[in-house]
Amino acid sequence: MGNYCHTFGKDFAIIFDEWLDWMIAFFDRDNVLRHDCDFSKICDEMKESNETYYKCFTSIAKETAKQIEDKGWFDAFGTIYEEKVKTGYKASSMGQFFTPAALCDGLARIVADKNRTFTYDPACGSGRLPLAMWGQLDKDKFHYFMLGDLDPLSCKMSAMNMMLHGMFGIVERRDALRMTFFGGYIINEMCYPFPCAIPSIRVADELECRKNLELAKAYAPKGGDGQHEAVKIEPPVVEPKKPSEPTPQAQQPRQLSLFNLEDL
């Protein structure tokens, strides 16, 4: 990516932001449906549109998969951001200091409740604390994450991190003090309660984010045991199906099992 920046004479921060937009666009829900939820087709189109961005994405995906297996979670985007993008001015003006991974693990172990169904972080940064929390949870049980941050780049990193880890929820660009909404992302919405073979991100307005949250509340287990109760939920307008393959169960662990890394 450094060579790519040099070739086009752009600052790394600009290229990093464009790369995040490129990934979000390709995993947009409508794009996923346009490809009939065929991950290999999406990868082919990704590679053809920008081979450098595609190589960077596959490297991140494979390393994230390895780190999830070894350590439970991995904030690849936040690590790159801290080392190559974040400036002293931005840190001081926005109070942007990311929590070290070891401290995130410690905090998650203290507060993690395997029967918890909702987690909210109004100043999520790259999503590091929610990722650590996710690493402590039972992946066979329902869990919904609500993340927010004022910095648009942080919201994009959190959205991609959530998608790669198989987490379900929303990321909102919001001023947590004034509660002003600037934009949002809905993450892996087709995995619950109607699972499909591929994760997704969708750019959404405030009303759409609220609707997604209400759907999650309706689907969330009752009684604190982490298990689902039967609830009536209206199906989406387009329900992705692959008749030739068995449909995965909504309670299966997410992680990166949704990706076939051999296709990358």
Side-chain angles (χ1 to χ4, degrees):
M1 188 171 285
N3 291 335
Y4 188 82
C5 294
H6 179 74
T7 300
F8 289 93
K10 290 186 177 181
D11 184 77
F12 190 94
I14 296 175
I15 293 296
F16 184 67
D17 191 21
E18 290 179 356
W19 178 50
L20 288 169
D21 286 334
W22 178 85
M23 288 184 287
I24 290 171
F26 268 102
F27 284 99
D28 180 77
R29 183 196 64 176
D30 292 339
N31 194 43
V32 171
L33 294 174
R34 182 169 63 86
H35 289 84
D36 298 321
C37 300
D38 189 328
F39 185 55
S40 62
K41 290 181 180 178
I42 295 177
C43 283
D44 289 343
E45 188 173 286
M46 290 174 75
K47 187 174 183 179
E48 184 176 351
S49 69
N50 192 312
E51 189 170 357
T52 298
Y53 284 175
Y54 177 77
K55 288 180 179 178
C56 292
F57 165 74
T58 56
S59 296
I60 289 292
K62 291 175 181 178
E63 182 62 22
T64 299
K66 179 178 181 297
Q67 293 293 335
I68 288 175
E69 183 177 351
D70 294 343
K71 300 178 181 179
W73 65 277
F74 181 54
D75 177 20
F77 299 104
T79 301
I80 296 173
Y81 178 77
E82 284 190 299
E83 293 182 359
K84 299 292 186 180
V85 179
K86 190 178 72 172
T87 64
Y89 170 76
K90 191 169 187 179
S92 61
S93 63
M94 298 189 67
Q96 195 175 64
F97 301 95
F98 289 0
T99 309
L103 183 55
C104 291
D105 278 328
L107 291 171
R109 284 193 293 268
I110 291 171
V111 303
D113 177 358
K114 295 187 182 301
N115 291 325
R116 177 195 299 267
T117 53
F118 291 90
T119 293
Y120 178 53
D121 185 349
C124 61
S126 58
R128 194 168 289 178
L129 275 168
L131 291 178
M133 174 67 78
W134 179 87
Q136 297 293 321
L137 296 172
D138 184 345
K139 308 305 185 300
D140 290 324
K141 296 180 180 179
F142 175 87
H143 199 97
Y144 187 91
F145 290 85
M146 298 169 285
L147 277 57
D149 204 284
L150 182 58
D151 178 27
L153 195 57
S154 292
C155 292
K156 295 174 187 179
M157 290 189 289
S158 290
M160 282 302 304
N161 270 329
M162 281 183 63
M163 189 198 74
L164 282 175
H165 283 73
M167 297 159 69
F168 174 51
I170 56 177
V171 179
E172 297 182 338
R173 186 189 170 208
R174 183 186 290 277
D175 185 330
L177 297 179
R178 297 179 177 86
M179 294 304 293
T180 307
F181 181 91
F182 298 102
Y185 302 96
I186 298 176
I187 315 301
N188 291 333
E189 64 183 310
M190 294 188 291
C191 297
Y192 292 98
F194 306 100
C196 76
I198 192 168
S200 66
I201 295 177
R202 177 162 65 95
V203 178
D205 60 26
E206 188 170 17
L207 179 59
E208 291 171 316
C209 288
R210 296 283 72 77
K211 286 182 177 179
N212 186 265
L213 175 58
E214 291 305 315
L215 176 64
K217 289 179 178 178
Y219 184 65
K222 308 298 187 294
D225 59 359
Q227 300 299 319
H228 300 283
E229 286 187 355
V231 294
K232 179 177 176 57
I233 302 176
E234 294 298 325
V237 176
V238 180
E239 181 180 346
K241 292 182 179 180
K242 298 193 71 177
S244 60
E245 298 181 4
T247 302
Q249 296 300 311
Q251 290 178 236
Q252 287 184 345
R254 294 292 166 245
Q255 298 198 7
L256 279 165
S257 59
L258 295 172
F259 289 92
N260 182 3
L261 294 177
E262 294 180 356
D263 291 339
L264 295 178

